[in-house]
Amino acid sequence: MVDTGRADAAERDRPGAPVRVPTRLARPFLGLAVAALVAGCSGTTTSDTGTGEARPAPAAAETATDAADSTPLAAPAARAATDATEADEDEDAPRVGTLVEDFPVELLPVPEDAVLLVTSAVPVGESPVREVSLNLRTQMSVGAVMTLYRDVLTEAGFTEVTPPADESGPTADATFTRSGGDELVTIGVLDVDGGRTLTLGGRVRTADDGG
């Protein structure tokens, strides 16, 4: 009977004979080789830092920066439009403590000692008519205030449409019209704390408007 152990040893000792790895040792080496191959393939999909986080594309970052830099270019135009709108509104806004521009003082005079409260004179659309208001305080008597405006308005062609009233008391009011009622002025005077408060409002054509 041939001794297989000696035969195997003789076979290994023979020059040029292939080296055989026992089956129980070959399996672990095979597993390590496969793991190394998989790790090498997956490594091509990770970032340089090894964290697995993808870096943003340079083109996208540059595009976002350019868009952010270009956004404020519209701001000056928007501010200019807002300033122009505010200027137009302020031009017709009532004035406190002073006489508004273009107020028709030739038709609605202001007493010399008057303390102006609020005034306004706003054009009505494209027509020559203006909406006017006048609020002031004066030391003139109720009768004197009413006489001042009655004389000026009736001389300008206005007609008083309210019945005569006793103007020696603490209050008085009157309404005047012209141009078939297209122009209207109402006046009220009130005696308060030793002075008179005048409230005047209506719509009129001024001399510059062809009134």
Side-chain angles (χ1 to χ4, degrees):
M1 183 176 183
V2 178
D3 189 352
T4 57
R6 293 178 180 179
D8 292 340
E11 181 68 19
R12 289 194 301 270
D13 294 339
R14 184 171 59 84
V19 178
R20 295 181 180 180
V21 179
T23 303
R24 65 177 180 273
L25 297 177
R27 289 176 180 176
F29 285 114
L30 179 61
L32 292 175
V34 173
L37 179 61
V38 172
C41 294
S42 62
T44 59
T45 61
T46 57
S47 63
D48 294 338
T49 59
T51 60
E53 297 179 356
R55 294 182 178 179
E62 293 174 0
T63 302
T65 302
D66 294 342
D69 293 340
S70 62
T71 300
L73 295 178
R79 286 195 297 269
T82 301
D83 294 342
T85 301
E86 292 177 352
D88 292 341
E89 292 176 353
D90 292 341
E91 184 177 353
D92 297 331
R95 298 291 179 85
V96 177
T98 185
L99 197 64
V100 71
E101 185 178 357
D102 297 330
F103 189 86
V105 291
E106 72 286 347
L107 186 62
L108 302 170
V110 177
E112 293 183 358
D113 69 338
V115 176
L116 295 173
L117 303 177
V118 180
T119 67
S120 68
V122 181
V124 179
E126 299 298 329
S127 71
V129 177
R130 296 175 185 268
E131 294 281 355
V132 297
S133 65
L134 176 63
N135 292 269
L136 57 83
R137 285 184 58 83
T138 178
Q139 292 301 313
M140 295 174 62
S141 65
V142 172
V145 173
M146 294 302 298
T147 298
L148 170 66
Y149 290 100
R150 180 179 288 111
D151 290 347
V152 175
L153 289 171
T154 55
E155 184 177 351
F158 280 82
T159 302
E160 187 172 358
V161 296
T162 53
D166 182 7
E167 297 173 356
S168 61
T171 62
D173 59 80
T175 301
F176 303 85
T177 63
R178 186 174 69 173
S179 305
D182 184 52
E183 298 177 85
L184 176 71
V185 176
T186 60
I187 299 173
V189 184
L190 177 63
D191 191 344
V192 179
D193 298 333
R196 261 57 59 192
T197 299
L198 167 72
T199 301
L200 182 153
R203 57 180 183 271
V204 298
R205 288 189 177 93
T206 65
D208 294 337
D209 295 328

